Amino acid sequence: MPTESLYPPIEIPDVDIWAFLFERNDKPYPDDKAIYIDPFTSRTYTFADVKSTAIDFGKGLKALWDWQKGDVLALFTPNCIDTPAITWGCHWAGGILSPANPGYTAEELAFQLKDSGAKALVTQLALIATAKKAASIAGIPHDRIIVMGDERDKEARVKHFSSIRNTSGTSRYRRTKLDPAEDLAFLVYSSGTTGHPKGVMLTHRNIVANVLQGMSGEANLLKWDNGPDKSGDRIIAFLPFFHIYGLTCLIHHSLRAGLALYVLPKFSLDAFCDIIQTYRVTFAYVVPPVVLLLAKHPDVSKYDLSSIRMLNSGAAPLTKDLVETLHSRLNLKVKQGYGLSETSPTTHMQPWSDWDKTIGSVGRLLPNLTAKYVSEAGEELPAGQTGELWVKGPNIFKGYLNNPERTADSLTPDGYFKTGDVGYQDENGNFYITDRVKELIKYKGFQVPPAELEGLLVGHPLVDDVAVIGIYDEGRATEVPRAYVVASKATEPVGEKHSNEIAEWLATKVAGHKRLRGGVRFVEEIPKSVSGKILRRVLKARAEEETSGKTVKAKL
């Protein structure tokens, strides 16, 4: 039998995100509670500020661009406290938000703009050149590009989003009615092993459900009035808002629960530690490489991080040694969670009280979820046996945009999502993830599709054939991409300078997280099956041999 959540079911209201956040009768905190805080400029948004700004922006979209239900607004920006108001302003107007990685090249961004059918693009001034180039490729007029953040175009060549929200004659516009179960709230892009990212279609109900699931049980220990001075829990937000982890767990959770969110545009160890110390931050969502820095970097000792009640790590597995090293050094507790873009994201969470009892586990199923592990033959497996994890619940996505075949492969007729992750559960309902069916490389939580890099690398004159795999880098506490290359005959003998040349060449063509941090290795041939499929497991065995010096036999 499939495993049911050990938590009691919760009620999922039949409302869209706007009503869920702004039209509730049970908000426990005041309208003037500061929710989104820029610690570098001291600029803030209270609940009331977010709501009024979002309404004005939504009205401006309708007035200026005849915004219709289902129109897509792309967001290409680092973390910014303007993001929530722009997001929910888009929803107020009936639109769908599609956040993009600010590290994308123009070509990578253009693919997402075209695939999503984006009608307009919001960015920051520092990224305007990339945004304009991508918009041109995607056919978006440049007058549909606007900027957010503190920096404005002094020559007024690009509108600031505040000018959109201050559009005159908008009083006649009303909020667009939406069907929470059917209408999309977000199009987030998740990389696939076939190269191009896939548009993950998340409905309003998906997000509403997952916010409530994540706030249930022990997760609800975060409160707006916690602490001796009753000022509430404070969260540091460096996880990217364009990623589903930050989008749901940071932006949405904070407003629903009334938590103060200190927003960083990107991660910096010194800034991270300084903000925790200065503002007495109590909670942080992190990823394993950050846990590694906190556990081992000498600069951390200069700061007082004792205000932290708990860290929650996700996006990639966390080792027992790392959890114990961190606690031994700083007395900081870290628990784990699990989820995917397709699950909005969180499906499992380790309870606060179990952080040291079930290290290595991703936790228990959240409320209203059912899961099972399935063998390669499609048979359900009992506790203790390893198989692919399938999950079912109200937070499971609607499907992949413009990709019915991939959707059919991923969603079963009875509603289970095949995660592609392999693991098992114990007799106490704790779940463990041990491997991936899919071949995606996860660098610090970001997905790197090997086929995309291979497709680019074969275009280099030194490369005759290539395969890319992920190898674990202990120094970074994450997987990194490594390329195995068959050199063209004209380049023999090959050496370190050729490896560096190839790696540096690729770095100019991809976002930062896709760089070949695992290096380039030259081989005589790429191992392949009789049908031509790359045997990555053979290369992984080779990589393990190179690291350990021991012979490792790969399964064929």
Side-chain angles (χ1 to χ4, degrees):
M1 291 289 292
T3 299
E4 302 284 346
S5 173
L6 297 176
Y7 296 107
I10 58 175
E11 182 181 354
I12 310 298
D14 188 28
V15 295
D16 62 17
I17 292 172
W18 181 272
F20 176 68
L21 295 175
F22 298 109
E23 296 177 358
R24 55 190 293 206
N25 297 318
D26 60 345
K27 183 168 66 68
Y29 62 92
D31 286 0
D32 62 357
K33 164 83 177 183
I35 305 295
Y36 306 106
I37 302 160
D38 185 331
F40 304 103
T41 66
S42 297
R43 191 160 67 93
T44 66
Y45 275 88
T46 65
F47 172 88
D49 293 334
V50 176
K51 183 176 181 179
S52 62
T53 302
I55 291 173
D56 289 345
F57 182 66
K59 288 181 176 180
L61 288 177
K62 288 193 171 194
L64 279 180
W65 297 334
D66 187 29
W67 204 257
Q68 300 294 316
K69 177 179 173 180
D71 283 345
V72 176
L73 179 67
L75 201 59
F76 178 60
T77 172
N79 287 2
C80 176
I81 62 170
D82 294 332
T83 297
I86 289 172
T87 297
W88 296 319
C90 173
H91 290 162
W92 186 93
I96 303 165
L97 194 87
S98 185
N101 185 341
Y104 273 169
T105 63
E107 289 74 18
E108 289 169 324
L109 175 59
F111 171 81
Q112 182 167 331
L113 295 177
K114 287 191 289 186
D115 190 68
S116 67
K119 190 172 182 178
L121 174 63
V122 183
T123 187
Q124 291 202 44
L125 202 58
L127 298 174
I128 197 64
T130 301
K132 283 185 172 180
K133 183 178 179 181
S136 295
I137 296 171
I140 296 175
H142 284 193
D143 62 3
R144 292 287 182 93
I145 302 173
I146 57 176
V147 296
M148 61 192 290
D150 296 296
E151 195 174 3
R152 304 183 184 216
D153 186 357
K154 295 179 181 178
E155 299 180 16
R157 293 165 299 181
V158 185
K159 291 180 180 179
H160 192 267
F161 93 97
S162 58
S163 67
I164 304 295
R165 60 177 291 228
N166 291 325
T167 302
S168 60
T170 60
S171 59
R172 64 187 177 91
Y173 292 102
R174 298 291 181 266
R175 185 165 80 87
T176 300
K177 293 182 179 180
L178 297 169
D179 180 343
E182 293 297 327
D183 290 329
L184 302 186
F186 295 101
L187 272 172
V188 296
Y189 275 73
S190 176
S191 295
T193 54
T194 55
H196 284 307
K198 307 182 298 295
V200 176
M201 299 189 290
L202 298 173
T203 68
H204 284 259
R205 179 174 172 79
N206 290 154
I207 302 300
V208 169
N210 203 236
V211 171
L212 291 176
Q213 289 169 318
M215 290 174 61
S216 64
E218 285 204 65
N220 207 29
L221 294 177
L222 295 172
K223 294 185 181 295
W224 74 276
D225 58 352
N226 263 347
D229 61 355
K230 300 298 183 182
S231 63
D233 276 299
R234 303 171 183 183
I235 302 178
I236 188 165
F238 68 88
L239 294 176
F241 291 169
F242 69 82
H243 191 283
I244 191 63
Y245 189 5
L247 187 63
T248 301
C249 297
L250 293 174
I251 291 180
H252 287 80
H253 278 204
S254 58
L255 194 79
R256 177 71 184 186
L259 310 174
L261 201 69
Y262 291 84
V263 179
L264 281 68
K266 62 179 181 179
F267 180 77
S268 155
L269 181 62
D270 286 337
F272 177 82
C273 293
D274 183 62
I275 289 167
I276 290 175
Q277 175 178 273
T278 302
Y279 295 99
R280 308 306 294 160
V281 169
T282 62
F283 189 85
Y285 289 100
V286 296
V287 288
V290 172
V291 179
L292 177 69
L293 287 172
L294 294 174
K296 298 186 177 182
H297 199 288
D299 288 354
V300 174
S301 300
K302 299 185 298 184
Y303 299 94
D304 177 8
L305 307 183
S306 61
S307 62
I308 291 287
R309 297 171 58 206
M310 183 69 76
L311 303 172
N312 187 88
S313 181
L318 195 62
T319 64
K320 182 177 181 179
D321 288 345
L322 202 49
V323 173
E324 292 176 341
T325 300
L326 175 63
H327 188 249
S328 175
R329 181 188 186 192
L330 299 175
N331 198 33
L332 291 181
K333 306 170 184 177
V334 55
K335 63 187 184 73
Q336 285 202 82
Y338 170 79
L340 307 97
S341 297
E342 291 88 344
T343 57
S344 304
T346 314
T347 58
H348 297 71
M349 195 176 292
Q350 201 177 7
W352 287 52
S353 58
D354 281 0
W355 75 271
D356 61 341
K357 300 181 183 70
T358 55
I359 297 175
S361 165
V362 296
R364 299 172 183 168
L365 267 179
L366 292 182
N368 300 48
L369 282 166
T370 304
K372 57 185 175 181
Y373 283 103
V374 179
S375 70
E376 290 185 10
E379 298 175 345
E380 186 178 342
L381 298 169
Q385 291 192 23
T386 299
E388 181 184 5
L389 176 62
W390 292 13
V391 184
K392 179 180 181 180
N395 53 314
I396 303 301
F397 76 133
K398 191 173 182 177
Y400 296 111
L401 182 70
N402 305 325
N403 200 335
E405 290 184 3
R406 181 63 176 164
T407 299
D409 287 342
S410 301
L411 292 171
T412 66
D414 58 346
Y416 278 94
F417 169 58
K418 304 174 185 179
T419 68
D421 286 322
V422 171
Y424 64 94
Q425 61 176 309
D426 65 21
E427 64 278 4
N428 297 317
N430 299 300
F431 284 68
Y432 294 80
I433 302 298
T434 57
D435 206 343
R436 285 194 297 279
V437 174
K438 301 172 185 176
E439 297 168 343
L440 282 175
I441 300 163
K442 280 196 174 181
Y443 172 71
K444 293 186 177 181
F446 294 111
Q447 296 174 328
V448 182
E452 179 187 1
L453 303 190
E454 290 159 357
L456 292 168
L457 286 166
V458 293
H460 192 283
L462 297 182
V463 178
D464 271 353
D465 199 3
V466 61
V468 175
I469 63 169
I471 61 165
Y472 189 76
D473 184 328
E474 291 188 359
R476 294 185 174 96
T478 184
E479 277 189 322
V480 294
R482 171 181 290 175
Y484 284 88
V485 170
V486 176
S488 65
K489 299 296 187 292
T491 59
E492 292 181 347
V494 291
E496 184 176 352
K497 69 174 184 179
H498 300 103
S499 298
N500 293 338
E501 178 185 336
I502 292 170
E504 289 168 5
W505 176 84
L506 183 68
T508 66
K509 298 183 175 298
V510 296
H513 64 277
K514 299 177 185 177
R515 294 177 182 174
L516 295 174
R517 288 177 171 83
V520 174
R521 301 286 191 274
F522 289 99
V523 293
E524 292 297 321
E525 64 177 2
I526 302 299
K528 296 179 181 178
S529 68
V530 291
S531 62
K533 183 178 179 181
I534 295 171
L535 299 175
R536 298 185 198 278
R537 58 187 177 275
V538 175
L539 291 174
K540 284 183 175 289
R542 177 181 178 132
E544 190 174 340
E545 288 179 9
E546 292 170 352
T547 301
S548 66
K550 299 178 181 179
T551 300
V552 178
K553 187 174 181 179
K555 294 180 180 179
L556 297 176

